[in-house]
Amino acid sequence: MTNAHVVKNAAKVTVTLIDGRTFDGLVRGTDEFMDLAAIRIKPSGKPLPTAPLGRSDELQVGDWAIAIGNAVGLDSTVTLGIISSLSRSAAEVGIPNKKVNFIQTDAAINPGNSGGPLLNEFGEVVGINTAIRANAAGIGFAIPIDTAEKATGTDLGRSREERLIS
């Protein structure tokens, strides 16, 4: 799972893991209105690194937030902040064509962080880093993981993690 704007107009992508392994990926679907995309890879070798999923509906303003991504091309950047607000409308964020209520954080989200995870203090994925306000500093937005999970469908017999990976 990543942002649709990250894979815009692509059918194939290269997925690079933190351990340096790369895989060919196929874009299985995108939702421009939610800014979500699903990518399928065929992993080989050692198991994929994973992070447990949290519940974005359990977040509270003031909770710790950790943003991970490749900020401005710098691989594996990690920033720390708090959850600043919940349920920010797309219009408030400045992207009114999206159909998402965002998590707001002051954990630095920069160009290149899009599609990376927003974690809670327990290392659980609670959001997908998505946007910043160009006219402000320290204001970033993430798609709640509960919203992303619903967008992947229900696929009976598969775990939450499997649905997000495939």
Side-chain angles (χ1 to χ4, degrees), residues 25 27-28 32 48 68 99 115 127 144 152 157-158 161 166:
V27 178
R28 294 203 43 218
E32 297 294 327
L48 294 175
I68 300 177
K99 304 291 184 210
T152 64
R158 297 174 67 195
E161 290 81 2
S166 63

Side-chain angles (χ1 to χ4, degrees), residues 14-162:
T14 299
V15 176
T16 304
L17 303 183
I18 193 150
D19 64 9
R21 290 183 290 161
T22 61
F23 298 97
D24 292 330
L26 295 175
V27 178
R28 294 203 43 218
T30 61
D31 184 328
E32 297 294 327
F33 292 112
M34 294 186 71
D35 197 16
L36 290 171
I39 298 171
R40 161 78 86 197
I41 63 172
K42 293 185 178 180
S44 59
K46 56 185 178 175
L48 294 175
T50 60
L53 298 181
R55 303 291 340 166
S56 50
D57 63 359
E58 295 177 0
L59 290 174
Q60 296 181 14
V61 172
D63 285 351
W64 289 107
I66 304 160
I68 300 177
N70 295 326
V72 293
L74 300 170
D75 292 347
S76 306
T77 299
V78 178
T79 62
L80 178 66
I82 62 167
I83 301 297
S84 305
S85 185
L86 299 166
S87 296
R88 279 280 183 230
S89 73
E92 289 176 298
V93 171
I95 46 177
N97 61 330
K98 302 301 177 200
K99 304 291 184 210
V100 176
N101 287 322
F102 293 91
I103 299 166
Q104 180 181 325
T105 182
D106 70 347
I109 295 176
N110 296 291
N113 280 94
S114 291
L118 183 70
L119 309 175
N120 64 16
E121 63 194 88
F122 306 109
E124 299 169 330
V125 179
V126 293
I128 299 173
N129 301 328
T130 302
I132 58 172
R133 281 295 292 259
N135 62 347
I139 301 176
F141 303 94
I143 297 169
I145 199 63
D146 298 351
T147 300
E149 183 181 14
K150 288 176 189 168
T152 64
T154 55
D155 290 335
L156 294 176
R158 297 174 67 195
S159 71
R160 294 175 60 220
E161 290 81 2
E162 288 172 327

